[in-house]
Each structure stands twice: as structure tokens, then as C-alpha cells.
Amino acid sequence: MDLKEVVDINERIENMVKPLPENYYATKEEISFFKRYHKCDDFILSYALINDIWEILKGEFINYSDEGDKQVPSPVSVLHTNSGAGKFLDVAPENSVITSFNKNYVCKRVCDFVCQDRNEKGMYYSYDRDISQYFALCNTNSSKKYNIVVTQPNEDMDFYKSIDFSKEMGDLSPVEYYVARGAHFVNENGYLVLIYTPNKDLNIKELENLSGMKMVYELQDNDLEYLSYEAIIFKKY
């Protein structure tokens, strides 16, 4: 697909999505087309990596397993700090109650359509929000905690720099910032998933120090090494 086709598809999707009412229920065909939107951070995120991450997480929570409560298993709470077009959330285990943050309106709407069946069941909540807004005035200890927090910062993100009250935090790189602040939303024995562009300069020890968590898994899609994303999973002990 050449650049002109990409631009044309993006414009068509934007023109379709923006006027739709909040309660619009998209058809499968529409969702399939909306997923072709190129401007969300997760567009090149591979399903191989996504599935590997979820397989690990499913093994860490009994409520994701057959051994969990057979009657009414308690859902696993998931926060995605910048969920893009919902590619990662699309294949989340059924027993997940998802909170999705997004600052791009079209990406948010596409993600909402991808997760619309969960929304119908009261298992999906979507907000035009960034986690830095919880730290606009001071540190917050009252924000909700989650079993799993997923963050996928890109190197161009800078919204937090003018929002977070802490200059020290605002001076961090996007990866450092969203790991440090994202860890705040992880409950005890929970997990923080960092999805990031391959970076040989990434300092895992520094990320552990910033988050107060320990790295427990490193993952990459070997078929798309250096072309897609990699992932690190941290645990809060």
C-alpha cells in the first residue's frame, strides 16, 4: 500500500468516525475497516507479541484459569494508559474488566468499537484521559489500583511534560515516565506491561528503580525483530 492509499484510508475513517454518536453500535464490517486506521500507536504492534503477553498474564491470575471460581469468577482489572485502536485489548481474556485511556479522539472511538461488546456487559470503560492528569497538582494516593496496567509510550509523547506537577517527572523520557507513573496504578502483586519500540539504550535497572517493581519477563516478536515492538513485564511485590 502506497502513501496516498494510506492517507486516503485514514481520511475516510476519520470522516466516518468523527460524526458518529456516542451510543453508535458498529457492524463487524465497519470495525474491520476502522482497524485499518494507521495513526494509532498500536498499528504495527504484532498479534504474536500481544498473544505471548496475554498467555503469560493468564498464567499469573487464577481467575483467568479453569481452576478459578467456577460460579462467578471475579474479573481481573486492566488499565491501558494509551490504548490506541484497541489492538491489545481486542484479545484480552473474557474475564477482564477494562479501563481504557486515550488522547486521540479517532483512536479512542475505534478502540471503543473494538470493545463494544465488553461495554454492553459493563466490562469496559473508556476515557479521554492521560495518567499525568492524576498528578497535575500533587501526588495522588486515592486513584484506583488495577491487577494489570499496560502502557505503550512512543518517543514523541510530551503531553505529560506540561501537566505533571513534578518537574523531575516531567523531565523523564516517555518510557521512563509512563513506567514510573503507571506503577502507581498497579495493586500489590499486580503487573505492569511496558510495550516499547526496540531500544538498545533501555536501562531496565533504572526502570525497576523508577517503578519500585521487578522485571519478571522480557518478550519480543522474533519474526519482526526491530520492526515492531518489544515488551517487558514488571511485578509489584
Side-chain angles (χ1 to χ4, degrees):
M1 185 182 300
D2 62 30
L3 180 59
K4 185 177 183 301
E5 289 178 291
V6 170
V7 171
D8 179 63
I9 288 174
N10 286 342
E11 289 182 350
R12 287 170 60 194
I13 292 172
E14 288 168 355
N15 290 335
M16 289 175 65
V17 166
K18 288 180 179 179
L20 293 176
E22 286 298 320
N23 61 349
Y24 185 80
Y25 193 88
T27 65
K28 290 182 179 179
E29 291 75 19
E30 287 173 323
I31 293 172
S32 179
F33 180 60
F34 294 160
K35 285 180 177 180
R36 297 175 66 187
Y37 191 59
H38 285 66
K39 292 185 180 181
C40 304
D41 292 333
D42 56 350
F43 184 76
I44 63 169
L45 180 60
S46 76
Y47 277 113
L49 181 61
I50 292 171
N51 290 329
D52 285 347
I53 294 170
W54 278 120
E55 281 304 309
I56 287 173
L57 294 173
K58 284 191 288 186
E60 298 294 337
F61 290 94
I62 192 169
N63 287 340
Y64 275 160
S65 73
D66 293 336
E67 288 73 36
D69 184 343
K70 300 298 192 300
Q71 301 302 315
V72 186
S74 176
V76 176
S77 58
V78 180
L79 167 67
H80 200 316
T81 71
N82 50 316
S83 53
K87 198 170 186 180
F88 187 86
L89 301 178
D90 188 20
V91 293
E94 184 176 346
N95 191 31
S96 305
V97 57
I98 293 170
T99 300
S100 167
F101 290 174
N102 233 318
K103 288 304 294 177
N104 179 296
Y105 180 75
V106 176
C107 294
K108 177 184 180 300
R109 292 306 306 275
V110 174
C111 184
D112 292 349
F113 292 134
V114 167
C115 297
Q116 63 185 8
D117 289 338
R118 292 181 189 272
N119 183 55
E120 292 283 301
K121 300 172 184 177
M123 301 286 280
Y124 175 77
Y125 303 91
S126 175
Y127 302 95
D128 176 4
R129 190 173 299 172
D130 184 85
I131 59 173
S132 62
Q133 292 169 288
Y134 287 89
F135 304 93
L137 298 177
C138 61
N139 280 308
T140 174
N141 292 315
S142 59
S143 51
K144 182 179 177 180
K145 310 297 183 186
Y146 299 82
N147 300 124
I148 299 168
V149 174
V150 183
T151 190
Q152 187 185 333
N154 69 60
E155 60 186 16
D156 297 323
M157 284 182 167
D158 60 4
F159 179 84
Y160 66 93
K161 291 182 178 294
S162 61
I163 300 297
D164 198 297
F165 83 99
S166 169
K167 183 180 185 304
E168 181 181 0
M169 283 290 177
D171 288 340
L172 294 175
S173 71
V175 166
E176 292 170 334
Y177 180 83
Y178 285 94
V179 166
R181 288 309 199 194
H184 169 83
F185 297 86
V186 181
N187 63 18
E188 188 175 355
N189 295 315
Y191 293 84
L192 173 67
V193 180
L194 167 66
I195 299 171
Y196 65 98
T197 304
N199 182 353
K200 60 182 176 59
D201 297 323
L202 194 72
N203 187 328
I204 293 175
K205 180 57 67 176
E206 179 63 21
L207 295 180
E208 288 181 325
N209 291 337
L210 285 167
S211 64
M213 303 176 69
K214 293 295 183 183
M215 183 196 76
V216 288
Y217 298 100
E218 282 186 276
L219 303 97
Q220 66 179 31
D221 182 347
N222 292 324
D223 293 333
L224 294 173
E225 189 174 4
Y226 302 117
L227 296 176
S228 183
Y229 289 92
E230 297 179 359
I232 297 173
I233 301 178
F234 300 89
K235 183 172 184 178
K236 180 175 284 188
Y237 292 96

